[in-house]
Amino acid sequence: MGLSLYESASRGNVPFEPADPERVRIYTCGPTVYRYAHIGNLRTYLLTDLLVRTLRFLGYGTFTVQNITDMGHMHQGQLEAGEDKVIAAARAAGKSAGEIARFFTEAFFLDAGRMAFLPADVYPRASEHVPEMIALVSALDDRGAVYGEGGYLYFDVTKAPGYGTFSGADLGEAEPAERTDETIHRHKRRPEDFTLWMPAEPGREFQWESRWGRGWPGWHIECAAMAIKYLGPEFDVHVGGIDLRFPHHENSRAVVMTATGKRFATVWMHAAHLLVDGKKMSKSAGNEYTLDDLGARSRSGGKEFSPADFRYYCLTLHYSSPMNFTWDGQEAAARARIRLQAAFRRAALQATSGEDAAAASRAEFRGAISDDLNMPRALAVAHKAVRSGIGGDVARSLAAEWDTVLGVGLLSEADGDSEVNGVR
């Protein structure tokens, strides 16, 4: 059975056919580094990890890029009315935006290691790739897809053939395609048009020279420019959260296809939302849980929930299914993980047996992960296999093989054994 993936643009499972099986190229929208990652963020980033682990398990080679958004997107004077994530956090902490971004970038890497995420090959910082963004805006300008005044440049979405078909957005009916402040909207011709470049006000920390004057880039041009630099204008898979499908992914896709005439990503994959007790996470609701919050919460046995426990919880649902996090659900997942661990350890201490059962289980496991990364089914295979009479080297071999995908420490003596260190 070959690998098939759910493709968001076509809204259906498609056979996976990379341009180069030895170097599958993957881009992931990474963190905006102004706070600690919460468990919803981590569930989204887990999708890329599972994709990469599955591809490697199936014999593919991979090359992954995950960006770091480390600069703000609002005018200084608008911070009281809205919230520029990087700059507002810096002001609240009495630090520079650069200092805040560097601190939370390191915090993100730490959490990625605790979650056993395989490190990306490249982590481009947006602030270090503004020349590439300026070049991409220039290419769009040369193609007549840019307009503006007063230092503001906008992308004319009518110049992008088929704009809206990716996300289902209808021209003239969409909300403004920005996450920036309202200052920039007054020059726009239509709500869907989005900012490519904005003028820098005095005192702004993030600003660069361009042929349009000193300024700073819009959000949607960032990922487009970094993806092109490291993966080219056509690559295999683009990954992100479902909340990015519109406007961010629609707009990034439109920019690249208009500027280059190329396809951009062949397959788009989106992770579904994570709710907490049926509610959206928010500071005001007090439910924006981090890994440290999980670690501070004890289950009934007295042991704190580990990152591996949360990872296992995520694997009990398909990545495309919304996840409703509850403490009872987390406890059940933690207990199931410990039971599976203990069962494999006991089996490993027995005499070697169950070769035929192992062969059938291997085929089932491969079939599960090849079916759009069906991790709930893969976990079920692991639970069934360890009850089927396997023992000794057979049990150890299966646990080691399958944990290269699952990453939950099937034979580990401690949760930390499955962590990936040195992520940069």
Side-chain angles (χ1 to χ4, degrees):
M1 177 182 179
L3 176 63
S4 66
L5 299 172
Y6 183 85
E7 208 285 296
S8 289
S10 60
R11 294 170 176 77
N13 275 35
V14 297
F16 184 61
E17 298 174 347
D20 180 1
E22 295 184 0
R23 195 173 188 265
V24 177
R25 291 168 296 161
I26 301 167
Y27 186 89
T28 297
C29 284
T32 300
V33 283
Y34 70 103
R35 64 177 182 183
Y36 293 106
H38 57 61
I39 57 176
N41 302 140
L42 296 172
R43 191 211 182 192
T44 295
Y45 305 141
L46 175 61
L47 172 54
T48 299
D49 184 67
L50 295 175
L51 174 63
V52 171
R53 286 171 175 270
T54 295
L55 288 168
R56 293 182 181 179
F57 185 90
L58 297 177
Y60 295 93
T62 61
F63 182 82
T64 58
V65 178
Q66 184 174 33
N67 74 289
I68 305 290
T69 297
D70 62 346
M71 57 187 183
H73 295 84
M74 268 189 177
H75 285 297
Q76 302 277 115
Q78 292 292 318
L79 289 173
E80 301 304 324
E83 182 184 2
D84 181 285
K85 295 177 176 180
V86 176
I87 296 177
R91 288 179 58 172
K95 298 180 180 295
S96 73
E99 289 173 326
I100 285 291
R102 286 189 291 274
F103 176 85
F104 285 110
T105 296
E106 291 305 311
F108 163 72
F109 287 139
L110 176 61
D111 281 344
R114 294 161 77 189
M115 284 291 293
F117 294 161
L118 298 177
D121 294 282
V122 183
Y123 288 103
R125 274 72 161 172
S127 63
E128 298 174 358
H129 293 78
V130 176
E132 288 83 359
M133 299 171 200
I134 292 173
L136 186 54
V137 176
S138 295
L140 291 168
D141 198 9
D142 293 342
R143 287 160 177 75
V146 175
Y147 68 91
E149 59 181 283
Y152 291 91
L153 297 180
Y154 305 95
F155 181 78
D156 182 349
V157 299
T158 66
K159 303 298 183 181
Y163 182 87
T165 58
F166 173 74
S167 63
D170 292 325
L171 288 178
E173 298 182 7
E175 294 295 319
E178 307 287 355
R179 72 173 183 183
T180 49
D181 60 83
E182 290 298 319
T183 305
I184 67 172
H185 296 318
R186 63 176 179 265
H187 304 298
K188 290 168 61 171
R189 296 174 183 168
R190 59 189 62 80
E192 296 88 356
D193 291 350
F194 53 91
T195 312
L196 299 172
W197 190 259
M198 291 159 279
E201 68 275 29
R204 180 175 182 81
E205 182 176 346
F206 295 115
Q207 56 177 286
W208 292 266
E209 285 289 352
S210 76
R211 75 191 211 195
W212 313 284
R214 288 196 69 81
W216 39 294
W219 176 35
H220 306 301
I221 201 75
E222 290 182 14
C223 283
M226 290 184 282
I228 289 174
K229 174 169 184 177
Y230 294 100
L231 299 173
E234 292 185 334
F235 57 91
D236 299 301
V237 188
H238 197 304
V239 185
I242 192 64
D243 56 310
L244 297 180
R245 183 169 176 167
F246 185 86
H248 186 48
H249 289 168
E250 180 81 65
N251 293 346
S252 297
R253 182 173 179 265
V255 160
V256 174
M257 294 176 72
T258 303
T260 69
K262 301 295 185 179
R263 185 175 182 176
F264 200 30
T266 301
V267 174
W268 292 77
M269 299 180 69
H270 291 98
H273 291 294
L274 181 147
L275 304 175
V276 174
D277 294 317
K279 299 176 182 178
K280 183 177 179 180
M281 283 187 292
S282 68
K283 290 182 180 178
S284 59
N287 63 0
E288 277 194 351
Y289 299 136
T290 65
L291 290 182
D292 285 344
D293 292 325
L294 269 61
R297 180 83 173 233
S298 297
R299 52 183 182 258
S300 58
K303 186 178 179 182
E304 297 83 4
F305 294 117
S306 70
D309 291 331
F310 176 64
R311 182 181 175 105
Y312 186 99
Y313 192 4
C314 291
L315 298 185
T316 63
L317 295 97
H318 193 265
Y319 73 85
S320 64
S321 297
M323 178 176 176
N324 184 34
F325 177 93
T326 66
W327 290 111
D328 286 345
Q330 179 61 86
E331 173 147 359
R335 288 182 175 278
R337 187 181 78 87
I338 295 303
R339 283 197 303 271
L340 185 60
Q341 251 186 350
F344 268 106
R345 288 176 188 161
R346 287 194 300 269
L349 295 175
Q350 297 170 5
T352 297
S353 62
E355 288 86 349
D356 292 340
S361 295
R362 281 189 171 97
E364 286 186 67
F365 186 88
R366 187 183 183 92
I369 64 173
S370 296
D371 182 15
D372 192 30
L373 316 183
N374 194 324
M375 297 303 153
R377 212 168 92 205
L379 282 180
V381 171
H383 278 279
K384 185 176 75 170
V386 81
R387 297 193 302 265
S388 67
I390 60 171
D393 290 343
V394 173
R396 281 189 290 272
S397 178
L398 284 181
E401 289 173 26
W402 292 348
D403 214 41
T404 62
V405 176
L406 301 174
V408 294
L410 292 181
L411 286 176
S412 298
E413 293 299 326
D415 293 337
D417 292 347
S418 65
E419 292 183 8
V420 176
N421 299 309
V423 179
R424 285 296 181 274

